Amino acid sequence: KAGVTQTPRYLIKTRGQQVTLSCSPISGHRSVSWYQQTPGQGLQFLFEYFSETQRNKGNFPGRFSGRQFSNSRSEMNVSTLELGDSALYLCASSLTGGTGELFFGEGSRLTVL
Amino acid sequence: AQKITQTQPGMFVQEKEAVTLDCTYDTSDPSYGLFWYKQPSSGEMIFLIYQGSYDQQNATEGRYSLNFQKARKSANLVISASQLGDSAMYFCAMREGVNTNAGKSTFGDGTTLTVKP
């Protein structure tokens, strides 16, 4: 069974640009959540999507947005990039019901210059 | 608001010995789940073990066990017979409420474990 797949794995952008990251969850998982990981702030929850609807949202500015498609694949977008957006962006999927453990992808490492 | 505290930024353990990684949590919700994840240097987070707030017994998964002390709000991870491959960052995490909140977990700052040969 394939795991969570994130693309691209690495990317470099400059301030003011925008970026789109993609996440394909484990087959059968309908919940997809996104986390930002930085050395200073640790792991912070961005948002969660379930059945194409945003179910939970963290405390991030509106420049951070996401969506989920009917096949459960999800994308997140960051507009008007700032230096502080440099981070590892982790996507996780989970099953509905059960204990709710998260299955993470390898992450997309974004560097903003 | 939910909060997870991991007070050990770094830990060292000798190969084949046991090690305990500390985690305390704070929540006002009577229903919650506690998780431990491992993050090797490659970056991918790996789920290790789960403890539900209503579980009467401590969770165990192979060499991993969770020492759950509800009154003290602690959920320490015990790794027995440490192996070199256990060297990684370990995160304690919590989600509140029923499973519909599963995707929204709060993570601690992590503990870097180094296993010495």
Side-chain angles (χ1 to χ4, degrees):
Chain A
K1 197 173 189 181
V4 177
T5 304
Q6 291 188 245
T7 56
R9 291 289 315 282
Y10 303 91
L11 64 168
I12 300 173
K13 294 285 186 179
T14 56
R15 281 182 300 172
Q17 287 187 311
Q18 73 163 8
V19 65
T20 299
L21 309 178
S22 178
C23 173
S24 293
I26 292 173
S27 178
H29 288 196
R30 295 164 63 190
S31 168
V32 174
S33 53
W34 291 87
Y35 290 82
Q36 181 196 64
Q37 186 176 24
T38 59
Q41 299 296 319
L43 271 156
Q44 292 189 289
F45 173 76
L46 281 157
F47 29 64
E48 182 208 5
Y49 286 86
F50 181 81
S51 292
E52 302 179 66
T53 302
Q54 189 179 86
R55 187 160 69 175
N56 284 296
K57 187 178 187 303
N59 296 321
F60 277 81
R63 300 186 296 108
F64 292 82
S65 63
R67 59 178 175 168
Q68 187 181 33
F69 303 95
S70 59
N71 61 357
S72 293
R73 189 178 71 86
S74 177
E75 289 181 348
M76 69 163 282
N77 183 276
V78 187
S79 62
T80 320
L81 284 166
E82 301 177 359
L83 296 179
D85 297 333
S86 294
L88 179 66
Y89 290 88
L90 292 166
C91 170
S93 70
S94 60
L95 271 173
T96 304
T99 59
E101 65 264 33
L102 297 173
F103 295 84
F104 285 86
E106 293 181 290
S108 293
R109 186 167 295 280
L110 170 66
T111 301
V112 182
L113 301 177
Chain B
Q2 54 183 322
K3 183 176 173 61
I4 296 285
T5 303
Q6 294 180 253
T7 57
Q8 306 155 314
M11 289 280 287
F12 290 89
V13 64
Q14 207 67 35
E15 193 178 10
K16 299 181 184 177
E17 292 185 349
V19 63
T20 298
L21 306 184
D22 294 341
C23 172
T24 58
Y25 60 93
D26 188 28
T27 179
S28 57
D29 197 318
S31 176
Y32 52 89
L34 296 159
F35 304 82
W36 277 92
Y37 294 89
K38 172 185 177 182
Q39 187 177 40
S41 56
S42 59
E44 184 176 359
M45 298 275 282
I46 303 165
F47 164 73
L48 295 177
I49 196 167
Y50 164 83
Q51 180 84 42
S53 59
Y54 296 115
D55 293 343
Q56 295 297 311
Q57 294 188 332
N58 288 340
T60 59
E61 288 286 349
R63 294 186 299 111
Y64 304 108
S65 61
L66 200 152
N67 184 0
F68 181 46
Q69 298 188 44
K70 196 169 182 177
R72 295 185 177 182
K73 293 189 175 180
S74 74
N76 298 338
L77 176 70
V78 180
I79 305 174
S80 63
S82 296
Q83 302 171 356
L84 296 178
D86 293 335
S87 293
M89 178 86 84
Y90 289 80
F91 291 93
C92 180
M94 176 175 67
R95 58 132 177 92
E96 290 176 326
V98 297
N99 184 253
T100 50
N101 285 326
K104 183 180 181 181
S105 292
T106 298
F107 285 79
D109 290 335
T111 295
T112 301
L113 177 66
T114 303
V115 180
K116 294 181 173 180

